[in-house]
mmCIF file of all heavy atoms in Angstrom:
data_model
loop_
_atom_site.group_PDB
_atom_site.id
_atom_site.type_symbol
_atom_site.label_atom_id
_atom_site.label_comp_id
_atom_site.label_asym_id
_atom_site.label_seq_id
_atom_site.Cartn_x
_atom_site.Cartn_y
_atom_site.Cartn_z
ATOM 1 N N THR A 91 8.702 -13.249 8.086
ATOM 2 C CA THR A 91 9.199 -13.792 6.823
ATOM 3 C C THR A 91 8.528 -13.059 5.667
ATOM 4 O O THR A 91 7.525 -12.355 5.857
ATOM 5 C CB THR A 91 8.880 -15.294 6.713
ATOM 6 O OG1 THR A 91 7.449 -15.445 6.642
ATOM 7 C CG2 THR A 91 9.450 -16.082 7.886
ATOM 8 N N ILE A 92 9.055 -13.230 4.470
ATOM 9 C CA ILE A 92 8.448 -12.626 3.280
ATOM 10 C C ILE A 92 6.998 -13.102 3.129
ATOM 11 O O ILE A 92 6.116 -12.313 2.798
ATOM 12 C CB ILE A 92 9.264 -12.980 2.011
ATOM 13 C CG1 ILE A 92 10.686 -12.415 2.112
ATOM 14 C CG2 ILE A 92 8.568 -12.521 0.750
ATOM 15 C CD1 ILE A 92 10.751 -10.907 2.130
ATOM 16 N N THR A 93 6.757 -14.361 3.407
ATOM 17 C CA THR A 93 5.401 -14.913 3.314
ATOM 18 C C THR A 93 4.476 -14.249 4.326
ATOM 19 O O THR A 93 3.336 -13.898 4.001
ATOM 20 C CB THR A 93 5.433 -16.440 3.533
ATOM 21 O OG1 THR A 93 6.316 -17.025 2.577
ATOM 22 C CG2 THR A 93 4.055 -17.048 3.399
ATOM 23 N N GLN A 94 4.950 -14.062 5.554
ATOM 24 C CA GLN A 94 4.139 -13.396 6.576
ATOM 25 C C GLN A 94 3.881 -11.932 6.203
ATOM 26 O O GLN A 94 2.776 -11.423 6.409
ATOM 27 C CB GLN A 94 4.835 -13.466 7.931
ATOM 28 C CG GLN A 94 4.875 -14.852 8.531
ATOM 29 C CD GLN A 94 5.797 -14.926 9.745
ATOM 30 O OE1 GLN A 94 6.832 -14.276 9.802
ATOM 31 N NE2 GLN A 94 5.405 -15.755 10.722
ATOM 32 N N GLN A 95 4.891 -11.261 5.663
ATOM 33 C CA GLN A 95 4.727 -9.870 5.256
ATOM 34 C C GLN A 95 3.668 -9.765 4.153
ATOM 35 O O GLN A 95 2.798 -8.890 4.199
ATOM 36 C CB GLN A 95 6.055 -9.295 4.770
ATOM 37 C CG GLN A 95 7.079 -9.128 5.866
ATOM 38 C CD GLN A 95 8.439 -8.710 5.330
ATOM 39 O OE1 GLN A 95 8.594 -8.343 4.178
ATOM 40 N NE2 GLN A 95 9.446 -8.772 6.201
ATOM 41 N N ALA A 96 3.736 -10.658 3.171
ATOM 42 C CA ALA A 96 2.752 -10.654 2.084
ATOM 43 C C ALA A 96 1.357 -10.955 2.614
ATOM 44 O O ALA A 96 0.372 -10.341 2.174
ATOM 45 C CB ALA A 96 3.149 -11.669 1.015
ATOM 46 N N ALA A 97 1.261 -11.862 3.570
ATOM 47 C CA ALA A 97 -0.041 -12.209 4.158
ATOM 48 C C ALA A 97 -0.644 -11.009 4.881
ATOM 49 O O ALA A 97 -1.852 -10.756 4.790
ATOM 50 C CB ALA A 97 0.100 -13.395 5.112
ATOM 51 N N ARG A 98 0.179 -10.248 5.602
ATOM 52 C CA ARG A 98 -0.304 -9.042 6.303
ATOM 53 C C ARG A 98 -0.798 -8.000 5.299
ATOM 54 O O ARG A 98 -1.835 -7.369 5.491
ATOM 55 C CB ARG A 98 0.795 -8.439 7.175
ATOM 56 C CG ARG A 98 1.138 -9.212 8.408
ATOM 57 C CD ARG A 98 0.154 -9.015 9.522
ATOM 58 N NE ARG A 98 0.222 -7.657 10.059
ATOM 59 C CZ ARG A 98 -0.635 -7.177 10.938
ATOM 60 N NH1 ARG A 98 -1.613 -7.919 11.402
ATOM 61 N NH2 ARG A 98 -0.520 -5.943 11.385
ATOM 62 N N TRP A 99 -0.045 -7.785 4.228
ATOM 63 C CA TRP A 99 -0.418 -6.819 3.193
ATOM 64 C C TRP A 99 -1.751 -7.236 2.550
ATOM 65 O O TRP A 99 -2.649 -6.418 2.380
ATOM 66 C CB TRP A 99 0.697 -6.710 2.159
ATOM 67 C CG TRP A 99 0.381 -5.871 0.969
ATOM 68 C CD1 TRP A 99 0.320 -6.290 -0.326
ATOM 69 C CD2 TRP A 99 0.099 -4.465 0.927
ATOM 70 N NE1 TRP A 99 0.013 -5.242 -1.151
ATOM 71 C CE2 TRP A 99 -0.130 -4.109 -0.414
ATOM 72 C CE3 TRP A 99 0.013 -3.476 1.905
ATOM 73 C CZ2 TRP A 99 -0.432 -2.806 -0.800
ATOM 74 C CZ3 TRP A 99 -0.292 -2.175 1.512
ATOM 75 C CH2 TRP A 99 -0.509 -1.849 0.177
ATOM 76 N N ASN A 100 -1.884 -8.514 2.230
ATOM 77 C CA ASN A 100 -3.124 -8.993 1.621
ATOM 78 C C ASN A 100 -4.294 -8.922 2.593
ATOM 79 O O ASN A 100 -5.423 -8.607 2.194
ATOM 80 C CB ASN A 100 -2.942 -10.414 1.080
ATOM 81 C CG ASN A 100 -2.046 -10.425 -0.141
ATOM 82 O OD1 ASN A 100 -2.062 -9.497 -0.940
ATOM 83 N ND2 ASN A 100 -1.263 -11.476 -0.288
ATOM 84 N N ALA A 101 -4.056 -9.186 3.874
ATOM 85 C CA ALA A 101 -5.109 -9.066 4.886
ATOM 86 C C ALA A 101 -5.567 -7.615 5.019
ATOM 87 O O ALA A 101 -6.768 -7.348 5.140
ATOM 88 C CB ALA A 101 -4.608 -9.585 6.233
ATOM 89 N N PHE A 102 -4.627 -6.686 4.979
ATOM 90 C CA PHE A 102 -4.955 -5.258 5.049
ATOM 91 C C PHE A 102 -5.852 -4.861 3.881
ATOM 92 O O PHE A 102 -6.883 -4.211 4.065
ATOM 93 C CB PHE A 102 -3.664 -4.435 5.063
ATOM 94 C CG PHE A 102 -3.885 -2.960 4.918
ATOM 95 C CD1 PHE A 102 -4.472 -2.235 5.935
ATOM 96 C CD2 PHE A 102 -3.492 -2.294 3.771
ATOM 97 C CE1 PHE A 102 -4.680 -0.873 5.812
ATOM 98 C CE2 PHE A 102 -3.687 -0.927 3.638
ATOM 99 C CZ PHE A 102 -4.287 -0.219 4.659
ATOM 100 N N LYS A 103 -5.481 -5.256 2.677
ATOM 101 C CA LYS A 103 -6.280 -4.916 1.498
ATOM 102 C C LYS A 103 -7.685 -5.519 1.610
ATOM 103 O O LYS A 103 -8.677 -4.839 1.319
ATOM 104 C CB LYS A 103 -5.586 -5.398 0.222
ATOM 105 C CG LYS A 103 -4.283 -4.671 -0.057
ATOM 106 C CD LYS A 103 -3.693 -4.986 -1.413
ATOM 107 C CE LYS A 103 -3.281 -6.411 -1.568
ATOM 108 N NZ LYS A 103 -2.598 -6.670 -2.859
ATOM 109 N N LYS A 104 -7.766 -6.757 2.063
ATOM 110 C CA LYS A 104 -9.064 -7.415 2.211
ATOM 111 C C LYS A 104 -9.912 -6.720 3.278
ATOM 112 O O LYS A 104 -11.107 -6.494 3.075
ATOM 113 C CB LYS A 104 -8.857 -8.885 2.567
ATOM 114 C CG LYS A 104 -10.130 -9.674 2.665
ATOM 115 C CD LYS A 104 -9.858 -11.132 2.977
ATOM 116 C CE LYS A 104 -11.163 -11.879 3.115
ATOM 117 N NZ LYS A 104 -10.953 -13.274 3.476
ATOM 118 N N ASP A 105 -9.298 -6.373 4.410
ATOM 119 C CA ASP A 105 -10.029 -5.678 5.480
ATOM 120 C C ASP A 105 -10.599 -4.351 4.994
ATOM 121 O O ASP A 105 -11.736 -4.002 5.315
ATOM 122 C CB ASP A 105 -9.126 -5.435 6.689
ATOM 123 C CG ASP A 105 -8.902 -6.683 7.520
ATOM 124 O OD1 ASP A 105 -9.569 -7.710 7.262
ATOM 125 O OD2 ASP A 105 -8.047 -6.629 8.424
ATOM 126 N N LEU A 106 -9.815 -3.597 4.236
ATOM 127 C CA LEU A 106 -10.312 -2.313 3.727
ATOM 128 C C LEU A 106 -11.487 -2.526 2.778
ATOM 129 O O LEU A 106 -12.486 -1.811 2.849
ATOM 130 C CB LEU A 106 -9.204 -1.539 3.012
ATOM 131 C CG LEU A 106 -8.375 -0.623 3.887
ATOM 132 C CD1 LEU A 106 -7.318 0.090 3.049
ATOM 133 C CD2 LEU A 106 -9.208 0.393 4.618
ATOM 134 N N ASN A 107 -11.366 -3.476 1.885
ATOM 135 C CA ASN A 107 -12.446 -3.705 0.920
ATOM 136 C C ASN A 107 -13.694 -4.292 1.572
ATOM 137 O O ASN A 107 -14.788 -4.134 1.043
ATOM 138 C CB ASN A 107 -11.956 -4.565 -0.239
ATOM 139 C CG ASN A 107 -11.206 -3.738 -1.257
ATOM 140 O OD1 ASN A 107 -11.624 -2.648 -1.617
ATOM 141 N ND2 ASN A 107 -10.088 -4.248 -1.725
ATOM 142 N N ASN A 108 -13.547 -4.939 2.725
ATOM 143 C CA ASN A 108 -14.708 -5.466 3.438
ATOM 144 C C ASN A 108 -15.314 -4.468 4.419
ATOM 145 O O ASN A 108 -16.384 -4.714 4.962
ATOM 146 C CB ASN A 108 -14.333 -6.750 4.190
ATOM 147 C CG ASN A 108 -14.081 -7.909 3.262
ATOM 148 O OD1 ASN A 108 -14.579 -7.939 2.144
ATOM 149 N ND2 ASN A 108 -13.285 -8.863 3.713
ATOM 150 N N ALA A 109 -14.632 -3.342 4.650
ATOM 151 C CA ALA A 109 -15.074 -2.383 5.675
ATOM 152 C C ALA A 109 -16.262 -1.541 5.236
ATOM 153 O O ALA A 109 -16.939 -0.953 6.075
ATOM 154 C CB ALA A 109 -13.914 -1.472 6.067
ATOM 155 N N SER A 110 -16.518 -1.460 3.945
ATOM 156 C CA SER A 110 -17.601 -0.600 3.467
ATOM 157 C C SER A 110 -17.978 -1.015 2.057
ATOM 158 O O SER A 110 -17.489 -2.011 1.536
ATOM 159 C CB SER A 110 -17.154 0.858 3.485
ATOM 160 O OG SER A 110 -16.183 1.069 2.477
ATOM 161 N N THR A 111 -18.816 -0.209 1.442
ATOM 162 C CA THR A 111 -19.190 -0.469 0.051
ATOM 163 C C THR A 111 -18.173 0.104 -0.924
ATOM 164 O O THR A 111 -18.301 -0.098 -2.125
ATOM 165 C CB THR A 111 -20.573 0.133 -0.254
ATOM 166 O OG1 THR A 111 -20.530 1.540 0.003
ATOM 167 C CG2 THR A 111 -21.649 -0.517 0.591
ATOM 168 N N LEU A 112 -17.177 0.817 -0.419
ATOM 169 C CA LEU A 112 -16.137 1.363 -1.287
ATOM 170 C C LEU A 112 -15.271 0.244 -1.841
ATOM 171 O O LEU A 112 -15.074 -0.785 -1.198
ATOM 172 C CB LEU A 112 -15.237 2.329 -0.513
ATOM 173 C CG LEU A 112 -15.871 3.604 0.016
ATOM 174 C CD1 LEU A 112 -14.854 4.381 0.837
ATOM 175 C CD2 LEU A 112 -16.387 4.457 -1.119
ATOM 176 N N VAL A 113 -14.744 0.454 -3.028
ATOM 177 C CA VAL A 113 -13.764 -0.454 -3.605
ATOM 178 C C VAL A 113 -12.437 0.295 -3.618
ATOM 179 O O VAL A 113 -12.319 1.350 -4.225
ATOM 180 C CB VAL A 113 -14.154 -0.876 -5.036
ATOM 181 C CG1 VAL A 113 -13.067 -1.738 -5.650
ATOM 182 C CG2 VAL A 113 -15.485 -1.614 -5.021
ATOM 183 N N TRP A 114 -11.464 -0.241 -2.910
ATOM 184 C CA TRP A 114 -10.161 0.406 -2.783
ATOM 185 C C TRP A 114 -9.231 -0.107 -3.866
ATOM 186 O O TRP A 114 -9.194 -1.303 -4.148
ATOM 187 C CB TRP A 114 -9.567 0.116 -1.403
ATOM 188 C CG TRP A 114 -10.365 0.701 -0.290
ATOM 189 C CD1 TRP A 114 -11.563 0.265 0.180
ATOM 190 C CD2 TRP A 114 -10.030 1.841 0.492
ATOM 191 N NE1 TRP A 114 -11.988 1.065 1.212
ATOM 192 C CE2 TRP A 114 -11.074 2.038 1.429
ATOM 193 C CE3 TRP A 114 -8.944 2.708 0.505
ATOM 194 C CZ2 TRP A 114 -11.057 3.074 2.355
ATOM 195 C CZ3 TRP A 114 -8.932 3.740 1.438
ATOM 196 C CH2 TRP A 114 -9.984 3.912 2.338
ATOM 197 N N LEU A 115 -8.466 0.801 -4.455
ATOM 198 C CA LEU A 115 -7.472 0.436 -5.454
ATOM 199 C C LEU A 115 -6.096 0.560 -4.828
ATOM 200 O O LEU A 115 -5.781 1.582 -4.221
ATOM 201 C CB LEU A 115 -7.582 1.351 -6.674
ATOM 202 C CG LEU A 115 -8.940 1.369 -7.373
ATOM 203 C CD1 LEU A 115 -8.938 2.399 -8.490
ATOM 204 C CD2 LEU A 115 -9.297 -0.005 -7.905
ATOM 205 N N PHE A 116 -5.282 -0.449 -4.973
ATOM 206 C CA PHE A 116 -3.954 -0.480 -4.372
ATOM 207 C C PHE A 116 -2.900 -0.571 -5.452
ATOM 208 O O PHE A 116 -3.065 -1.306 -6.424
ATOM 209 C CB PHE A 116 -3.793 -1.704 -3.457
ATOM 210 C CG PHE A 116 -4.709 -1.703 -2.282
ATOM 211 C CD1 PHE A 116 -5.974 -2.252 -2.368
ATOM 212 C CD2 PHE A 116 -4.306 -1.155 -1.082
ATOM 213 C CE1 PHE A 116 -6.827 -2.253 -1.282
ATOM 214 C CE2 PHE A 116 -5.149 -1.150 0.015
ATOM 215 C CZ PHE A 116 -6.407 -1.700 -0.087
ATOM 216 N N SER A 117 -1.815 0.144 -5.259
ATOM 217 C CA SER A 117 -0.648 -0.086 -6.100
ATOM 218 C C SER A 117 0.176 -1.176 -5.425
ATOM 219 O O SER A 117 -0.038 -1.510 -4.265
ATOM 220 C CB SER A 117 0.173 1.196 -6.249
ATOM 221 O OG SER A 117 0.729 1.580 -5.011
ATOM 222 N N GLU A 118 1.086 -1.737 -6.170
ATOM 223 C CA GLU A 118 1.997 -2.693 -5.559
ATOM 224 C C GLU A 118 2.908 -1.945 -4.597
ATOM 225 O O GLU A 118 3.090 -0.727 -4.712
ATOM 226 C CB GLU A 118 2.823 -3.399 -6.640
ATOM 227 C CG GLU A 118 2.000 -4.318 -7.528
ATOM 228 C CD GLU A 118 1.279 -5.398 -6.737
ATOM 229 O OE1 GLU A 118 1.892 -6.025 -5.858
ATOM 230 O OE2 GLU A 118 0.083 -5.613 -7.010
ATOM 231 N N LEU A 119 3.491 -2.664 -3.663
ATOM 232 C CA LEU A 119 4.432 -2.040 -2.738
ATOM 233 C C LEU A 119 5.663 -1.607 -3.531
ATOM 234 O O LEU A 119 6.248 -2.398 -4.257
ATOM 235 C CB LEU A 119 4.817 -3.026 -1.632
ATOM 236 C CG LEU A 119 3.677 -3.443 -0.708
ATOM 237 C CD1 LEU A 119 4.154 -4.524 0.250
ATOM 238 C CD2 LEU A 119 3.133 -2.261 0.050
ATOM 239 N N GLU A 120 6.001 -0.344 -3.433
ATOM 240 C CA GLU A 120 7.160 0.194 -4.132
ATOM 241 C C GLU A 120 7.707 1.383 -3.361
ATOM 242 O O GLU A 120 7.125 1.796 -2.370
ATOM 243 C CB GLU A 120 6.809 0.565 -5.569
ATOM 244 C CG GLU A 120 5.560 1.425 -5.703
ATOM 245 C CD GLU A 120 5.086 1.506 -7.137
ATOM 246 O OE1 GLU A 120 5.929 1.723 -8.026
ATOM 247 O OE2 GLU A 120 3.887 1.372 -7.368
ATOM 248 N N THR A 121 8.814 1.933 -3.797
ATOM 249 C CA THR A 121 9.453 3.014 -3.046
ATOM 250 C C THR A 121 9.074 4.406 -3.530
ATOM 251 O O THR A 121 9.540 5.392 -2.975
ATOM 252 C CB THR A 121 10.989 2.875 -3.103
ATOM 253 O OG1 THR A 121 11.398 2.882 -4.466
ATOM 254 C CG2 THR A 121 11.432 1.594 -2.413
ATOM 255 N N SER A 122 8.217 4.513 -4.555
ATOM 256 C CA SER A 122 7.740 5.834 -4.978
ATOM 257 C C SER A 122 6.305 5.712 -5.475
ATOM 258 O O SER A 122 5.869 4.641 -5.906
ATOM 259 C CB SER A 122 8.634 6.428 -6.067
ATOM 260 O OG SER A 122 8.498 5.698 -7.262
ATOM 261 N N VAL A 123 5.590 6.827 -5.387
ATOM 262 C CA VAL A 123 4.193 6.847 -5.812
ATOM 263 C C VAL A 123 3.830 8.255 -6.270
ATOM 264 O O VAL A 123 4.337 9.249 -5.737
ATOM 265 C CB VAL A 123 3.259 6.387 -4.661
ATOM 266 C CG1 VAL A 123 3.295 7.347 -3.490
ATOM 267 C CG2 VAL A 123 1.848 6.185 -5.158
ATOM 268 N N ASN A 124 2.971 8.344 -7.274
ATOM 269 C CA ASN A 124 2.412 9.621 -7.708
ATOM 270 C C ASN A 124 1.033 9.733 -7.073
ATOM 271 O O ASN A 124 0.178 8.881 -7.292
ATOM 272 C CB ASN A 124 2.289 9.683 -9.229
ATOM 273 C CG ASN A 124 3.629 9.658 -9.899
ATOM 274 O OD1 ASN A 124 4.576 10.277 -9.431
ATOM 275 N ND2 ASN A 124 3.732 8.936 -11.000
ATOM 276 N N ILE A 125 0.853 10.772 -6.268
ATOM 277 C CA ILE A 125 -0.429 11.009 -5.607
ATOM 278 C C ILE A 125 -0.811 12.465 -5.820
ATOM 279 O O ILE A 125 -0.026 13.359 -5.537
ATOM 280 C CB ILE A 125 -0.382 10.631 -4.100
ATOM 281 C CG1 ILE A 125 -1.721 10.864 -3.421
ATOM 282 C CG2 ILE A 125 0.728 11.321 -3.373
ATOM 283 C CD1 ILE A 125 -2.731 9.807 -3.675
ATOM 284 N N LEU A 126 -1.992 12.674 -6.385
ATOM 285 C CA LEU A 126 -2.447 13.998 -6.795
ATOM 286 C C LEU A 126 -1.388 14.595 -7.719
ATOM 287 O O LEU A 126 -1.089 14.007 -8.752
ATOM 288 C CB LEU A 126 -2.761 14.858 -5.571
ATOM 289 C CG LEU A 126 -3.866 14.292 -4.664
ATOM 290 C CD1 LEU A 126 -3.983 15.087 -3.385
ATOM 291 C CD2 LEU A 126 -5.197 14.238 -5.388
ATOM 292 N N ASP A 127 -0.786 15.708 -7.408
ATOM 293 C CA ASP A 127 0.230 16.314 -8.274
ATOM 294 C C ASP A 127 1.639 16.174 -7.715
ATOM 295 O O ASP A 127 2.530 16.944 -8.075
ATOM 296 C CB ASP A 127 -0.069 17.810 -8.475
ATOM 297 C CG ASP A 127 -1.332 18.033 -9.285
ATOM 298 O OD1 ASP A 127 -1.683 17.130 -10.067
ATOM 299 O OD2 ASP A 127 -1.962 19.084 -9.148
ATOM 300 N N VAL A 128 1.871 15.198 -6.855
ATOM 301 C CA VAL A 128 3.156 15.071 -6.167
ATOM 302 C C VAL A 128 3.688 13.657 -6.356
ATOM 303 O O VAL A 128 2.937 12.688 -6.336
ATOM 304 C CB VAL A 128 2.976 15.363 -4.657
ATOM 305 C CG1 VAL A 128 4.270 15.141 -3.884
ATOM 306 C CG2 VAL A 128 2.460 16.763 -4.436
ATOM 307 N N THR A 129 4.997 13.546 -6.523
ATOM 308 C CA THR A 129 5.640 12.246 -6.491
ATOM 309 C C THR A 129 6.354 12.132 -5.153
ATOM 310 O O THR A 129 7.168 12.975 -4.807
ATOM 311 C CB THR A 129 6.670 12.109 -7.633
ATOM 312 O OG1 THR A 129 5.976 12.223 -8.878
ATOM 313 C CG2 THR A 129 7.372 10.761 -7.558
ATOM 314 N N MET A 130 5.985 11.094 -4.397
ATOM 315 C CA MET A 130 6.639 10.833 -3.121
ATOM 316 C C MET A 130 7.569 9.643 -3.315
ATOM 317 O O MET A 130 7.204 8.684 -3.993
ATOM 318 C CB MET A 130 5.621 10.502 -2.035
ATOM 319 C CG MET A 130 4.766 11.669 -1.618
ATOM 320 S SD MET A 130 3.481 11.240 -0.406
ATOM 321 C CE MET A 130 4.283 10.157 0.705
ATOM 322 N N ALA A 131 8.749 9.720 -2.707
ATOM 323 C CA ALA A 131 9.699 8.626 -2.830
ATOM 324 C C ALA A 131 10.459 8.434 -1.528
ATOM 325 O O ALA A 131 10.650 9.378 -0.775
ATOM 326 C CB ALA A 131 10.678 8.910 -3.955
ATOM 327 N N ILE A 132 10.876 7.200 -1.287
ATOM 328 C CA ILE A 132 11.742 6.893 -0.171
ATOM 329 C C ILE A 132 13.115 6.595 -0.764
ATOM 330 O O ILE A 132 13.272 5.675 -1.553
ATOM 331 C CB ILE A 132 11.238 5.675 0.629
ATOM 332 C CG1 ILE A 132 9.853 5.957 1.191
ATOM 333 C CG2 ILE A 132 12.227 5.337 1.753
ATOM 334 C CD1 ILE A 132 9.207 4.752 1.859
ATOM 335 N N GLU A 133 14.083 7.416 -0.391
ATOM 336 C CA GLU A 133 15.453 7.230 -0.864
ATOM 337 C C GLU A 133 16.386 7.445 0.310
ATOM 338 O O GLU A 133 16.251 8.427 1.056
ATOM 339 C CB GLU A 133 15.789 8.229 -1.967
ATOM 340 C CG GLU A 133 14.979 8.022 -3.233
ATOM 341 C CD GLU A 133 15.250 9.080 -4.284
ATOM 342 O OE1 GLU A 133 16.019 10.028 -4.019
ATOM 343 O OE2 GLU A 133 14.671 8.965 -5.387
ATOM 344 N N ASN A 134 17.331 6.554 0.500
ATOM 345 C CA ASN A 134 18.285 6.635 1.603
ATOM 346 C C ASN A 134 17.576 6.776 2.945
ATOM 347 O O ASN A 134 17.945 7.597 3.789
ATOM 348 C CB ASN A 134 19.262 7.802 1.396
ATOM 349 C CG ASN A 134 20.041 7.646 0.119
ATOM 350 O OD1 ASN A 134 20.476 6.546 -0.242
ATOM 351 N ND2 ASN A 134 20.219 8.745 -0.603
ATOM 352 N N ASN A 135 16.487 6.015 3.127
ATOM 353 C CA ASN A 135 15.687 6.014 4.350
ATOM 354 C C ASN A 135 15.045 7.359 4.670
ATOM 355 O O ASN A 135 14.765 7.653 5.822
ATOM 356 C CB ASN A 135 16.511 5.523 5.549
ATOM 357 C CG ASN A 135 16.840 4.065 5.411
ATOM 358 O OD1 ASN A 135 16.036 3.280 4.928
ATOM 359 N ND2 ASN A 135 18.047 3.691 5.816
ATOM 360 N N LYS A 136 14.838 8.192 3.660
ATOM 361 C CA LYS A 136 14.162 9.491 3.835
ATOM 362 C C LYS A 136 13.046 9.623 2.819
ATOM 363 O O LYS A 136 13.157 9.123 1.699
ATOM 364 C CB LYS A 136 15.172 10.632 3.655
ATOM 365 C CG LYS A 136 16.230 10.684 4.713
ATOM 366 C CD LYS A 136 17.152 11.858 4.487
ATOM 367 C CE LYS A 136 18.266 11.852 5.534
ATOM 368 N NZ LYS A 136 19.193 12.953 5.320
ATOM 369 N N ILE A 137 12.004 10.335 3.226
ATOM 370 C CA ILE A 137 10.895 10.602 2.300
ATOM 371 C C ILE A 137 11.215 11.878 1.539
ATOM 372 O O ILE A 137 11.537 12.884 2.096
ATOM 373 C CB ILE A 137 9.554 10.758 3.058
ATOM 374 C CG1 ILE A 137 9.244 9.478 3.812
ATOM 375 C CG2 ILE A 137 8.438 11.115 2.100
ATOM 376 C CD1 ILE A 137 8.056 9.592 4.732
#
C-alpha cells in the first residue's frame, strides 16, 4: 500500500542515518534528479 511504501522509504532513510556518523541528505521521491553535472530522468519506463 502507499502507507507501506512510505514506511519502507522512511525506514531506509533512518537506517542510513543510524549506520554511521554521516548525515545523509535525501531528496523527495521523484522521476528526475540532478547529480554532479548530469540530470537523470525516468521517462516512459526508461532512464
Side-chain angles (χ1 to χ4, degrees):
T91 66
I92 298 295
T93 303
Q94 290 169 324
Q95 291 173 11
R98 288 282 291 172
W99 174 242
N100 289 326
F102 171 70
K103 294 189 296 185
K104 183 178 178 183
D105 284 352
L106 271 180
N107 279 316
N108 289 336
S110 70
T111 58
L112 295 176
V113 176
W114 295 74
L115 302 175
F116 296 88
S117 66
E118 292 302 315
L119 295 174
E120 50 193 314
T121 58
S122 69
V123 65
N124 294 320
I125 181 79
L126 299 172
D127 292 335
V128 176
T129 298
M130 291 176 41
I132 299 173
E133 294 176 356
N134 300 320
N135 292 323
K136 294 182 183 178
I137 300 172

